[in-house]
């Protein structure tokens, strides 16, 4: 027991394996930052200052420390689930570490076997009857965390468990608090990385942006004050309008009350009128009821009289019916007797008819025998008659065709003579038309010549008139010159 406790006390601080395991237990985010630093070859000359290199190294150390802390927090949250999965732990951990884990679990469940002061206090609490989790912390749990952290094969299972807990609803408060703490720790890590990655220039830019935002904020505050003043004015106007509307509403309510009063008065009047009408209607109904009762009594009397009359008529009709039935019976008997006599006569006639039919059949046989000889004779006679008629028809057709041909030939000859006459007339008409056309052409030519001569004469007259005008103008100018010379002299 003492050996185990001493080992657990010395393991997190003095053992070199613990430091190596913590270095190997960085998360994926630290690996990404390391890859970035590898990509940036800062060992070259004039690439970065030593201060920047130190800053980068410190940033990597801080990120590694934070990643290790986050992973340990995840391990602490997933410890109950990992303990429940004994197969996964036994497949990953070695036998010695599994024995240590089982021993630590037994100590945690039974603090009587532990030699630590805290566990002794827990024993005293248990003896006193306090079964809470107070003073049940065990220093061997740090050794358990060291063992679990020294196996990187458990990382994917831990990450899967954490994701499941984030997705599934949280039943216990402790699990919810642990996940909230983990989320805040991750947010703290992201903020630290972001703050470490930001440069001085970025900070200056952010400050400048904040100043710009402050200036714009002042302008916006002024605008807000202006709009608030406008809103106050609008609120005042709105309150005034609401007060006016309230006055209008009071007036309308007063009018409504007056209208309600008038309506109640009118309703009372209508109710009184309706009651009067009801009284009058009831009186009229009573009078009508009495009249109808009297009519009913009279109708009953008339009905009884009609019944008596109808009964008498029914007796008479039945007597008549009896008489008619007796007559029908007598007539039927007579009909039967007469029909028997008629049937006898019909039988006699049928016998005679059959005899006559036999005679007709015999005569028909004789006629058939005669037809055998008569039909060929009639055929020969018909053939001779047809031959005579065909010969006569052929002769008539020949004569008729000859007459038609002769008549047609005569018409052809007459048509030829008429055509000759028409040709002669056409020639004469054409010659006359040609002569008339020649005369007309000669007249047109003469008219054209006369028109040309008239045009020439008109042109000559126009020229003579123009010359006369020119001569007159010259003479007028000469006269004016003479007059001027005379006037000067």
């Amino acid at each position: 027991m003492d050996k185990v406790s001493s080992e657990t006390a010395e393991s997190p601080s003095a053992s070199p394996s613990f430091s190596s395991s913590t270095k190997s237990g960085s998360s994926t985010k630290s690996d990404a930052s390391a890859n970035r630093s590898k990509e940036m070859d800062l060992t070259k000359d004039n690439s970065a200052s030593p201060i920047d290199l130190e800053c980068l190294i410190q940033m990597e150390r801080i990120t590694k420390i934070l990643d290790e802390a986050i992973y340990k927090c995840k391990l602490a949250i997933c410890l109950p689930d990992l303990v429940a999965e004994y197969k996964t732990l036994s497949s990953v951990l070695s036998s010695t570490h599994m024995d240590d884990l089982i021993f630590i679990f037994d100590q945690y469940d039974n603090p009587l076997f532990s030699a630590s002061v805290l566990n002794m206090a827990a024993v005293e609490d248990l003896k006193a009857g306090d079964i809470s989790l107070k003073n049940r912390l065990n220093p061997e749990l740090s050794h358990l965390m060291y063992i679990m952290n020294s196996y990187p094969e458990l990382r994917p299972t831990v990450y899967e468990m954490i994701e499941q807990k984030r997705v599934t609803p949280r039943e216990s408060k402790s699990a919810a608090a642990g996940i909230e703490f983990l989320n805040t720790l991750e947010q703290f890590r992201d903020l630290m990385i972001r703050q470490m990655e930001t440069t001085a220039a970025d900070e200056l830019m952010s400050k400048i942006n904040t100043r710009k935002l402050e200036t714009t904020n002042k302008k916006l505050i002024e605008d807000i004050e202006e709009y608030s003043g406008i809103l106050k004015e609008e609120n005042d106007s709105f309150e005034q309008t609401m007060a006016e509307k309230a006055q209008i509403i009071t007036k309308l309510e007063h009018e409504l009350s007056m209208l309600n009063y008038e309506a109640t008065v009118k309703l009372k009047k209508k109710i009184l009128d309706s009651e009067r009408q009801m009284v009058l209607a009831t009186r009229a109904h009573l009078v009508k009821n009495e009249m109808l009762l009297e009519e009913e009594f009279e109708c009953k009397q008339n009905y009884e009289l009609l019944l008596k009359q109808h009964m008498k008529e029914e007796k008479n009709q039945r007597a008549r019916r009896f008489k008619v039935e007796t007559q029908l019976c007598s007539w039927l008997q007579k009909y039967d007797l007469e029909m028997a006599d008629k049937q006898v006569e019909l039988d006699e006639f049928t016998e005679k008819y059959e005899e006559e039919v036999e005679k007709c059949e015999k005569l028909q046989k004789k006629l058939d025998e005669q037809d055998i000889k008569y039909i060929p004779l009639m055929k020969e006679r018909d053939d001779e008659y047809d031959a005579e008629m065909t010969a006569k028809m052929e002769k008539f057709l020949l004569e008729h065709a000859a007459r038609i041909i002769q008549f047609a030939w005569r018409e052809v000859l007459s048509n030829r003579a008429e055509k000759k006459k028409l040709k002669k007339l056409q020639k004469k008409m054409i010659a006359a038309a040609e002569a008339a056309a020649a005369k007309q052409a000669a007249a047109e030519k003469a008219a054209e010549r006369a028109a040309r001569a008239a045009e020439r004469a008109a042109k000559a007259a126009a020229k003579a008139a123009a010359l006369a005008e020119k001569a007159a103008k010259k003479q007028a100018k000469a006269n004016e010159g003479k007059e001027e010379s005379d006037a000067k002299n």
Side-chain angles (χ1 to χ4, degrees):
M1 293 289 289
D2 295 331
K3 288 179 181 179
V4 172
S5 62
S6 64
E7 285 175 2
T8 54
E10 291 174 1
S11 61
S13 61
S15 64
S17 62
F18 178 77
S19 62
S20 64
S21 65
T22 53
K23 287 179 183 178
S24 64
S26 62
S27 66
T28 56
K29 293 180 181 178
S30 64
D31 294 334
S33 63
N35 290 324
R36 286 178 191 170
S37 63
K38 285 177 183 178
E39 287 174 1
M40 294 171 65
D41 192 2
L42 299 172
T43 58
K44 291 181 181 179
D45 295 332
N46 297 322
S47 62
S49 64
I51 295 165
D52 293 333
L53 288 169
E54 285 181 3
C55 289
L56 287 168
I57 291 161
Q58 292 297 327
M59 185 176 74
E60 288 178 359
R61 286 176 182 173
I62 291 162
T63 51
K64 282 181 182 179
I65 290 161
L66 288 170
D67 290 333
E68 288 174 2
I70 289 164
Y71 179 67
K72 286 177 182 178
C73 182
K74 288 179 181 179
L75 263 176
I77 291 164
C78 295
L79 268 177
D81 297 328
L82 288 169
V83 169
E85 293 181 358
Y86 181 77
K87 290 181 180 179
T88 56
L89 289 173
S90 63
S91 63
V92 174
L93 300 177
S94 63
S95 60
T96 56
H97 285 153
M98 282 298 295
D99 294 333
D100 293 337
L101 287 175
I102 291 162
F103 182 72
I104 290 162
F105 296 152
D106 291 335
Q107 280 188 346
Y108 187 72
D109 290 330
N110 299 312
L112 296 170
F113 295 103
S114 178
S116 64
V117 177
L118 290 171
N119 285 328
M120 291 302 292
V123 170
E124 289 176 359
D125 290 333
L126 287 168
K127 287 178 181 178
D130 189 5
I131 311 172
S132 64
L133 293 173
K134 185 180 74 172
N135 295 325
R136 291 193 70 186
L137 297 172
N138 199 337
E140 280 80 6
L141 289 173
S142 62
H143 184 62
L144 186 144
M145 290 292 293
Y146 162 69
I147 291 165
M148 299 289 278
N149 194 15
S150 63
Y151 286 95
E153 291 86 356
L154 290 171
R155 284 177 181 273
T157 56
V158 170
Y159 292 147
E160 287 177 0
M161 286 179 180
I162 292 294
E163 287 177 358
Q164 287 178 0
K165 285 184 178 182
R166 281 175 177 170
V167 171
T168 55
R170 298 154 193 172
E171 295 177 355
S172 62
K173 292 182 180 179
S174 61
I179 288 164
E180 286 178 0
F181 175 73
L182 195 146
N183 290 327
T184 52
L185 207 152
E186 286 179 350
Q187 288 176 1
F188 174 71
R189 179 191 172 281
D190 294 332
L191 289 169
M192 286 292 291
I193 290 165
R194 193 185 298 168
Q195 190 66 28
M196 286 188 289
E197 285 178 353
T198 54
T199 59
D202 294 332
E203 287 182 357
L204 282 171
M205 286 296 293
S206 64
K207 287 179 181 179
I208 291 162
N209 290 323
T210 52
R211 287 175 184 175
K212 288 179 181 178
L213 289 169
E214 285 174 357
T215 54
T216 54
N217 193 10
K218 288 178 182 178
K219 291 179 181 179
L220 291 170
I221 288 163
E222 291 175 357
D223 294 332
I224 288 162
E225 288 176 355
E226 289 178 0
Y227 288 127
S228 62
I230 293 162
L231 281 170
K232 284 180 181 178
E233 291 176 358
E234 289 180 354
N235 285 322
D236 294 332
S237 63
F238 179 72
E239 286 175 357
Q240 289 177 0
T241 53
M242 288 298 290
E244 291 174 357
K245 287 179 180 179
Q247 290 177 0
I248 292 162
I249 287 161
T250 52
K251 288 179 182 179
L252 292 170
E253 286 177 352
H254 181 68
E255 289 177 358
L256 276 171
S257 62
M258 293 295 290
L259 290 169
N260 286 322
Y261 178 72
E262 290 176 358
T264 51
V265 172
K266 287 179 180 179
L267 279 170
K268 287 178 181 179
K269 287 180 180 179
K270 284 183 179 179
I271 288 162
L272 291 170
D273 292 333
S274 63
E275 286 177 353
R276 287 173 187 172
Q277 289 176 1
M278 287 288 288
V279 170
L280 294 170
T282 50
R283 289 176 182 175
H285 178 69
L286 291 170
V287 172
K288 285 182 181 179
N289 193 7
E290 290 176 357
M291 295 289 288
L292 290 169
L293 289 170
E294 290 177 357
E295 288 179 0
E296 185 182 359
F297 180 72
E298 290 177 357
C299 289
K300 284 181 179 179
Q301 288 180 354
N302 293 324
Y303 176 70
E304 289 176 356
L305 292 170
L306 288 169
L307 271 175
K308 290 177 181 178
Q309 290 177 2
H310 289 156
M311 291 293 286
K312 288 178 181 179
E313 288 179 358
E314 189 177 356
K315 286 179 181 178
N316 294 323
Q317 292 291 333
R318 283 181 179 176
R320 286 179 184 176
R321 183 181 175 184
F322 180 72
K323 288 179 182 179
V324 170
E325 285 177 354
T326 52
Q327 285 179 359
L328 281 170
C329 290
S330 62
W331 288 347
L332 287 168
Q333 288 175 0
K334 287 179 182 179
Y335 176 77
D336 291 332
L337 293 170
E338 288 177 357
M339 288 303 292
D341 296 333
K342 296 288 183 183
Q343 186 67 36
V344 172
E345 290 178 359
L346 195 143
D347 293 333
E348 291 176 356
F349 284 123
T350 51
E351 288 177 357
K352 289 178 182 180
Y353 174 73
E354 288 175 356
E355 289 176 358
E356 293 292 332
V357 167
E358 288 177 357
K359 289 178 182 179
C360 285
E361 287 176 355
K362 289 177 181 179
L363 291 170
Q364 187 66 36
K365 287 178 181 179
K366 289 179 181 180
L367 286 170
D368 292 334
E369 290 175 357
Q370 288 178 0
D371 287 334
I372 292 165
K373 295 178 181 179
Y374 177 75
I375 288 166
L377 293 171
M378 291 300 291
K379 280 183 179 180
E380 288 177 359
R381 185 180 173 184
D382 291 333
D383 292 334
E384 289 175 357
Y385 181 74
D386 290 333
E388 288 177 0
M389 291 300 291
T390 51
K392 287 179 181 180
M393 283 295 290
E394 287 175 356
K395 187 178 180 181
F396 175 74
L397 289 170
L398 286 169
E399 290 176 355
H400 184 67
R403 287 173 187 171
I404 289 165
I405 290 162
Q406 289 173 1
F407 180 74
W409 179 247
R410 286 171 189 168
E411 284 183 353
V412 168
L413 292 173
S414 64
N415 288 327
R416 284 178 182 176
E418 287 178 358
K419 283 179 181 179
K420 286 178 181 179
K421 289 178 182 179
L422 287 169
K423 284 180 181 179
K424 288 178 182 179
L425 288 170
Q426 284 177 356
K427 286 178 180 179
K428 287 179 181 180
M429 291 291 287
I430 289 163
E434 287 177 354
K439 287 178 181 179
Q440 191 175 0
E444 287 176 356
K445 286 179 181 179
E448 286 178 358
R449 288 172 186 171
R452 287 174 186 173
E455 286 178 359
R456 287 172 186 171
K459 287 178 181 179
K463 285 179 181 180
L467 291 169
E469 285 178 359
K470 286 179 181 180
K473 286 178 181 179
K474 286 179 181 180
Q475 193 173 0
K477 285 180 181 180
N479 291 325
E480 287 176 358
K482 285 178 181 182
E483 287 176 357
E484 287 177 358
S485 62
D486 291 332
K488 286 177 181 180
N489 292 321

